[in-house]
Amino acid sequence: MTSFDTSPSLSVWRALLALAVVFVMLATTGWTALRSHRSESALQASLSDWQHGRLDGHRLPDPDTAPARLARFFASLTDQQREHLAHRYPLAVGNMNGAPVRLRYQANRIALGQARDIERERMHDSRLSVTGQQEAGRRMHRLGTLMRPGRHILAFDPEGSGRIAEVFGNLTKAERISVVVPGVDTDLLTFQRTNRRYAAPVGMAKSLYAAERAAGPATRTAVIAWADYTAPSGIGMDAATAMRAENGAVRLNELVRALPGRAPVSLFCHSYGSVVCGVAAQRLPGRVADIAVAGSPGMRVAKAAHLRTSARVWAMRDADDWIEDVPNLEFGGLGHGADPVSTAFGARVLSTRGAHGHAGYFEPGTQSLANFAEIGVGSYSAVHCADKAGTCRAGLSGTTAVGRA
């Protein structure tokens, strides 16, 4: 299957355009509503247990309540009580916006261990095919690596292909927070890669974190590798529509609104991740200072102003990124709108010197990564624009990072 890491032929996109009409017709006649019945997921079961649970005779708060209220609830508990909840409801607590960050790390470590045990059993389940057993083995190995000391897992859901988010740096003490939002073919198994590491969320986030520390040594930063949405798999209808992005946008907003402290937040959105950020933009809280997109097929709007956000909107695209060949249109729900690096769109267009291809924007030594880092620490006057006139820095020349001279 073709993925967003490789260049699909233009004929693929033309075929998708033709399929759009069929898709819309099926949607309006209700055909797309046919879905197979699925049993309750492990996360849903944990949340259900929480909703029916009690602590010292008192009912637990609604897990969907406002993060601030949940934060107050956890703050009222003793360390022993918090640890009891993490062990009793690990998936619920590990994914609960408003729960203390360190408690979420602890709960998710427990949940990862439980999921690993399940995959270990599935490796030897005779009811599975050889391929199914091998898949279980790969998942078991990945879950084990996520449990290693020093890893801070902020969210984890083993359902389906899996969702996950990891933090680099001290999230509670950060003066600037960056969130990496990846594109298609992102799941538990592709969250981290040995080969082409900077094309995977963990590699992207670690690279950005290191670059930010170099760009602003006096600025405390944290970077989140955020794969906590169900991304499209390969180049298909899901990748050509906003269906996955709409769900992802809700989850992204929930994440940002629940982040501790008041540090400014910058979103770095790659490929289909830029569609997620575009859909989310309108409802993002004011603490989101920047939305930077790379290799974007569009943000579901014709102009940056239509995103209706107070955040600065940045865009970049490498000269040999195949995404340039994707038609920039939106028709019947298919396509993602105008090209974010076009003059008419109105974003601040950044240089990508040194980057190659669709997946090279976070490679160390590239100007694309350097620009991301300067944005991440708030040093806007140091970014390199795509043009020699420095248009992307207009109105920002006096801005410097927190803690920098």
Side-chain angles (χ1 to χ4, degrees):
M1 179 177 290
T2 304
S3 78
F4 261 47
D5 285 342
T6 57
S7 176
S9 64
L10 191 57
S11 61
V12 172
W13 289 103
R14 287 172 176 164
L16 286 174
L17 287 172
L19 285 171
V21 177
V22 176
F23 174 78
V24 173
M25 291 175 64
L26 292 178
T28 56
T29 57
W31 288 22
T32 57
L34 295 175
R35 303 177 66 180
S36 59
H37 176 71
R38 301 182 68 179
S39 59
E40 186 178 55
S41 71
L43 174 55
Q44 290 169 333
S46 185
L47 288 168
S48 178
D49 289 344
W50 171 282
Q51 289 173 322
H52 294 90
R54 290 180 177 273
L55 182 65
D56 296 338
H58 300 284
R59 295 194 63 177
L60 299 173
D62 186 339
D64 292 325
T65 196
R69 181 184 173 190
L70 288 170
R72 289 194 295 271
F73 164 73
F74 281 104
S76 72
L77 305 180
T78 65
D79 289 343
Q80 185 177 8
Q81 288 174 322
R82 284 191 286 266
E83 289 187 10
H84 168 75
L85 293 176
H87 281 84
R88 179 67 182 83
Y89 315 101
L91 278 172
V93 174
N95 291 277
M96 193 172 293
N97 291 318
V101 168
R102 290 193 176 277
L103 189 66
R104 290 181 68 169
Y105 296 161
Q106 180 183 355
N108 281 319
R109 183 175 178 80
I110 296 169
L112 284 163
Q114 293 175 347
R116 184 183 59 176
D117 291 343
I118 291 173
E119 296 301 337
R120 182 183 290 113
E121 291 181 3
R122 293 181 71 245
M123 284 177 61
H124 307 288
D125 190 338
S126 59
R127 294 170 297 180
L128 295 179
S129 65
V130 173
T131 301
Q133 292 174 339
Q134 292 173 341
E135 177 79 2
R138 286 193 292 270
R139 285 174 66 95
M140 186 195 73
H141 175 74
R142 174 46 47 82
L143 293 167
T145 62
L146 293 169
M147 293 177 63
R148 289 175 180 169
R151 302 202 71 165
H152 300 138
I153 306 304
L154 186 66
F156 168 61
D157 182 0
E159 178 71 6
S161 59
R163 298 198 304 256
I164 192 158
E166 183 173 9
V167 176
F168 299 91
N170 191 323
L171 190 58
T172 57
K173 294 183 178 181
E175 295 171 306
R176 303 277 309 196
I177 298 173
S178 298
V179 182
V180 175
V181 183
V184 306
D185 293 329
T186 299
D187 55 31
L188 190 65
L189 291 178
T190 60
F191 185 59
Q192 182 175 358
R193 295 175 180 169
T194 301
N195 297 321
R196 302 177 66 253
R197 68 179 64 181
Y198 303 114
V202 168
M204 291 176 178
K206 289 179 73 172
S207 181
L208 178 59
Y209 181 56
E212 286 183 351
R213 295 182 71 182
T219 304
R220 294 193 302 271
T221 64
V223 179
I224 302 173
W226 188 79
D228 194 24
Y229 81 106
T230 303
S233 177
I235 300 297
M237 194 59 69
D238 280 351
T241 69
M243 288 188 298
R244 299 288 191 185
E246 287 167 358
N247 176 264
V250 172
R251 301 186 66 82
L252 181 59
N253 263 295
E254 289 174 347
L255 166 83
V256 175
R257 292 182 181 280
L259 289 174
R262 298 183 178 180
V265 177
S266 297
L267 304 181
F268 298 94
C269 321
H270 177 247
S271 194
Y272 189 84
S274 67
V275 185
V276 177
C277 292
V279 176
Q282 181 179 340
R283 294 180 177 83
L284 289 171
R287 69 184 295 185
V288 176
D290 306 281
I291 302 174
V293 302
S296 174
M299 300 181 74
R300 305 294 295 182
V301 292
K303 296 179 180 294
H306 296 171
L307 292 171
R308 289 189 280 180
T309 176
S310 59
R312 302 169 190 86
V313 180
W314 309 82
M316 64 171 70
R317 186 178 65 225
D318 181 37
D320 59 1
D321 187 338
W322 62 261
I323 205 77
E324 183 178 7
D325 296 328
V326 175
N328 290 112
L329 50 79
E330 193 280 322
F331 172 74
L334 186 77
H336 303 303
D339 182 355
V341 301
S342 67
T343 302
F345 189 79
R348 299 174 182 273
V349 184
L350 298 161
S351 168
T352 61
R353 186 166 57 83
H356 298 287
H358 187 61
Y361 296 99
F362 290 84
E363 289 274 355
T366 61
Q367 209 159 71
S368 52
L369 177 64
N371 278 329
F372 280 162
E374 298 293 359
I375 292 169
V377 299
S379 185
Y380 303 114
S381 61
V383 299
H384 292 82
C385 303
D387 60 22
K388 294 181 179 180
T391 306
C392 72
R393 294 190 300 270
L396 302 174
S397 59
T399 308
T400 58
V402 175
R404 298 184 74 187

